[in-house]
């Protein structure tokens, strides 16, 4: 994956005198004199500037939910989208002076909404004379200076990512996304921006971009043999000293990696998934880190560097354009160079402002097209179905996912070596607000049931492995003794396990005894009415996230893959509904699992 000309020029220009100017007006240097240091009783020269940051925008431009077909809202009344961010950015630029600000992002930009999906798959930006990506249009109009690559940038394959990169007026940075053959950076590793000061000597601000090493696993199909992703710490240790030697006065890292130092994939990911704090701690010479990936709100967090004792400021602006981070830097001129005297951060909430009409106007046509697309009717349903209770009951709406996956895998394996094995299927309650109405079913109804772009695989597990898989899944429930009242608002998400990491498995029957400790909750596990044979083989229809180690479920990542598909499960569901014309829950719904306590059903 050689550096393309644009990226290469961006990188080399940053090295020489042609470094990008942040713009803004400068006061003539002469007016302030040049002296070295503070001599002659002059007050020291000082300069302040602000770096604004977003992350995990996930295709959100408008404050709109394409699954509910109305304005976005959640229980905290957050707002989403670049149109809101644009208003905040303009306020900050007015207050500080545009030339004293930069705007960067920490990745996961082009996947996540039906808007971004549409321009990757339905009317793809990669087509000849294809459209321009809405995220590129919006970010160019707002005036971003740089963006790090997120792991979801790779979901649609490298050609879509390269086309998006080409459409952006700013570099996509990834110092640890390397060409698999040459081991050279496949994207610009960094950019150096110059801030004009009133004192003649510019402040050189380096932004180093780091992505998540998990890309190698989560998007193996797209990157295998093409790119490799070493750890954040090792690449930062390589580039930060280089940036300092090139004259960078301030070094900011934009890292698509959380702060917790953990991995949700156990030992699946070869490097630490959430390494931002480790980078701050282990690599000297960093002033600030814009954090992404974990979808958390961290207004300001200091990490002490273990070698220098210097404090590094970290901030993460939640997700989807719900917050804007502001890093404020105060510099002082000492011994012939600019030194960071103080650095702090805070976040602004995008629900405090209106959408910028410049952005909503720019993309009004794209928005209208996508709304029309998601509202297409694909079939009918004989009854209303909902996920409202699917986190603790075997509901028909989750059975719908499982029947589609089971039928798809059975058809794919027919006539082959594995055709005789029984097919089981896993599904999660991804959203507790998904519903299929009685009557007309639209694309958005079906898509809302499966909001992620996961694809389908088939893996072979034994009966014993299936039992361990189910035991692992059952940790999701809070242990509740017999006779104690059950409060559904406190029953799930034990150990902070998200809903998408709880799997219901179809094709078997079993009970989950929530009065028992973890590891011994699966009771009466049966296949075709008989206790499951630990040695018997089963095919599990499983999404690629789970199959690649997502959620760290046992056995599945190492299990034999007998089939895989590049079609999103969501689209498979849409096609299934279209082909059938009608959805009749009576034909596929069955209660295969239930929660019990000492043999008595909880519900």
């Amino acid at each position: 994956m050689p550096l393309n000309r644009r990226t290469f020029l961006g990188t080399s220009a940053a090295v020489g005198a042609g470094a990008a100017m942040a713009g803004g007006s400068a006061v003539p240097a002469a007016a302030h004199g040049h002296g070295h240091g503070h001599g002659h009783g002059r007050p020291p020269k000082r300069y302040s500037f602000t770096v604004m940051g977003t992350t995990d925008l996930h295709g959100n431009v408008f404050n709109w939910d394409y699954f509910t077909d109305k304005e976005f809202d959640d229980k905290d009344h957050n707002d989403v989208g670049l149109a809101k961010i644009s208003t905040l950015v303009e306020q900050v630029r007015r207050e500080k002076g545009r030339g004293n600000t930069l705007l960067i992002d920490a990745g996961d930009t082009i996947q996540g909404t039906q808007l971004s999906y549409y321009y990757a798959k339905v009317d793809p930006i990669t087509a000849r004379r294809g459209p321009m990506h809405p995220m590129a249009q919006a970010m160019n109009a707002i005036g971003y200076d740089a963006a790090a690559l997120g792991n979801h940038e790779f979901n649609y394959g490298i050609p879509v990512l390269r086309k998006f990169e080409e459409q952006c007026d700013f570099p996509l940075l990834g110092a640890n996304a390397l060409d698999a053959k040459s081991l050279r950076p496949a994207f610009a590793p960094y950019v150096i921006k110059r801030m004009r000061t009133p004192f003649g000597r510019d402040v050189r601000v380096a932004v180093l971009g780091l992505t998540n090493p998990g890309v190698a696993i989560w998007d193996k199909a797209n990157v295998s043999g093409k790119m490799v992703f070493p750890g954040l710490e090792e690449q930062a240790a390589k580039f930060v000293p280089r940036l300092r030697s090139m004259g960078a006065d301030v070094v900011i890292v934009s890292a698509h990696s959380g702060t917790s130092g953990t991995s949700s994939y156990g030992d699946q990911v070869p490097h630490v998934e959430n390494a931002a704090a480790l980078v701050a701690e282990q690599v000297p010479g960093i002033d600030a880190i814009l954090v992404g990936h974990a979808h958390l709100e961290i207004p300001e967090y200091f990490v002490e560097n273990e070698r220098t004792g210097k404090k590094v400021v970290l901030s993460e602006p939640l997700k989807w354009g719900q917050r804007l981070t502001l890093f404020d830097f105060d510099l002082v001129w000492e011994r012939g160079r600019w030194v960071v005297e103080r650095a702090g951060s805070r976040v602004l909430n995008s629900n405090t402002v209106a959408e910028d009409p410049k952005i909503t106007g720019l993309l009004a046509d794209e928005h209208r097209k996508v709304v029309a697309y998601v509202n297409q009717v694909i079939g009918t349903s004989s009854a209303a179905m909902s996920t409202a209770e699917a986190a603790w009951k075997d509901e028909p709406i989750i059975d719908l996912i499982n029947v589609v996956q089971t039928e798809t895998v059975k058809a794919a394996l027919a006539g082959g070596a594995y055709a005789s094995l029984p097919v089981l299927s896993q599904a999660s309650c991804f959203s507790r607000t998904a519903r299929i109405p009685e009557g007309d079913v639209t694309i958005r109804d079906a898509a809302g049931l499966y909001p992620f772009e996961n694809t389908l695989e088939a893996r072979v597990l034994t009966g014993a492995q299936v039992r361990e898989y189910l035991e692992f899944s059952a940790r999701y429930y809070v242990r509740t003794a017999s006779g104690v009242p059950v409060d559904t608002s406190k029953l799930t998400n034990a150990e902070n396990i998200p809903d998408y990491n709880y799997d219901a498995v179809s094709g078997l029957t079993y009970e989950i005894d929530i009065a028992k400790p973890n590891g011994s909750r699966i009771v009466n596990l049966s296949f075709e009415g008989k206790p499951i044979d630990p040695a018997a083989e089963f095919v599990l229809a499983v999404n690629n996230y789970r199959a690649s180690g997502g959620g760290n479920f046992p056995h599945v990542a190492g299990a034999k893959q007998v089939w895989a598909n590049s079609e999103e499960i969501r689209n498979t569901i849409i096609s299934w509904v279209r082909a059938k014309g009608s959805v009749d829950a009576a034909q596929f719904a069955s209660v295969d699992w239930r929660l019990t306590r000492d043999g008595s059903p909880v519900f």
Side-chain angles (χ1 to χ4, degrees), residues 412-476:
L413 297 179
Y418 298 91
S420 61
L421 292 185
V423 177
L424 314 178
S425 175
Q426 62 76 227
S428 305
C429 174
F430 291 119
S431 153
R432 295 194 187 187
T433 56
R435 52 186 295 279
I436 301 284
E438 185 178 355
D440 285 351
V441 178
T442 62
I443 283 180
R444 92 183 144 78
D445 297 327
L449 181 55
Y450 215 112
F452 297 102
E453 267 96 18
N454 295 344
T455 57
L456 190 58
E457 298 193 10
R459 301 269 177 143
V460 177
L461 296 180
T462 65
Q465 290 175 328
V466 169
R467 179 181 287 279
E468 285 179 42
Y469 187 102
L470 291 169
E471 285 288 4
F472 184 85
S473 188
R475 299 172 314 133
Y476 169 77

Side-chain angles (χ1 to χ4, degrees), residues 9-23 102 145 190-196 202-206 246-249:
L9 287 177
T11 316
S12 53
V15 182
M21 285 287 186
L102 293 172
D145 293 287
Y190 58 82
V191 66
I192 293 179
K193 303 298 255 186
R194 288 174 177 250
M195 315 294 289
R196 284 188 173 152
D202 296 339
V203 173
R204 279 176 282 200
V205 183
M246 283 161 52
D249 301 299

Side-chain angles (χ1 to χ4, degrees), residues 528-549:
E528 291 183 342
K530 298 187 194 71
I532 197 165
D533 176 357
E537 286 192 321
F538 298 87
V539 171
L540 179 67
V542 59
N543 70 50
N544 68 313
Y545 171 80
R546 187 71 76 236
S548 64

